[in-house]
Amino acid sequence: MTTGNTESCPPSQRNKMVKLVDELKIINEWSEKNIESCIKNLLDSNDLIFANFGKPMRYLLTNHKDGPSISSIISILGKDLTFFRINNYLSNLIIHK
């Protein structure tokens, strides 16, 4: 699931996605609460507005602009599929440049 559109994801957004993956990797207990805390910490520590990060992330993960919370989506998808979708998207951005 990729858009192949490099214009839709500026470098700063790609860096945030990479940071999210790095933060999610250190979660020992994969739960919606821990994922939500991880996302909140990422947003707070990088002075991010949720809409600027969450909406693109939701679309990347589900191919829909609206839906459940990002933490719910990530929890349901599980680590492997979440990382696969994010990494697949990021890899395709590099290929299509």
Side-chain angles (χ1 to χ4, degrees), residues 19-33:
K19 285 182 183 179
L20 177 62
V21 169
D22 290 342
E23 291 294 320
L24 291 172
K25 284 180 180 177
I26 61 175
I27 293 178
N28 290 323
E29 182 184 333
W30 195 257
S31 69
E32 188 173 340
K33 181 180 175 185

Side-chain angles (χ1 to χ4, degrees), residues 64-88:
H64 296 283
K65 65 178 185 168
D66 298 313
S69 71
I70 300 301
S71 54
S72 293
I73 293 167
I74 291 173
S75 176
I76 291 166
L77 289 176
K79 267 187 179 182
D80 292 341
L81 190 51
T82 296
F83 295 158
F84 174 79
R85 289 186 180 184
I86 294 171
N87 290 327
N88 186 49

